[in-house]
Amino acid sequence: YRFAGGSETTSVSRFAFEGAPRDAAAARRAIAHGGLVVLCWHLMATPARRVVCKAVSLDASQREFWQSFYADAFAEFCAVNGLPAETREVAVESSAVDAVESGADAADDVAAA
């Protein structure tokens, strides 16, 4: 997490699985999407207009879902705090989108735009 060009803050969570997960990639995606939910609280402290997902690739429907999710999540927050309505609009990006949408194999890690 980085706000307005400041230093990057990273949160790391470790999850223990009994034995090896049957589908490590699916577990990684689920945990990454959980992180996008938790990001709401960081964004309320320091609103940003853009989220770049580095943990996993997001296709067009996933990016659309998260943009709608953030708009809904921030609607009341903006109203209560007197923030302009456009503050609730957050662009969600992933730099490996083309590989995911085309069906090509993409690495789970993507670089920030």
Side-chain angles (χ1 to χ4, degrees), residues 31-103:
I31 292 167
H33 285 271
L36 289 168
V37 172
V38 173
L39 185 58
C40 280
W41 285 270
H42 294 285
L43 290 172
M44 286 181 193
T46 51
R49 301 303 303 271
R50 182 173 70 121
V51 168
V52 179
C53 183
K54 293 181 181 181
V56 293
S57 301
L58 302 173
D59 64 24
S61 66
Q62 291 168 328
R63 290 189 318 274
E64 184 177 311
F65 168 82
W66 286 110
Q67 287 172 179
S68 177
F69 174 86
Y70 290 131
D72 290 345
F74 299 143
E76 180 182 9
F77 176 77
C78 290
V80 168
N81 291 287
L83 298 172
E86 63 269 7
T87 303
R88 68 189 204 108
E89 297 170 11
V90 177
V92 178
E93 303 171 12
S94 173
S95 63
V97 171
D98 294 338
V100 172
E101 290 177 349
S102 69

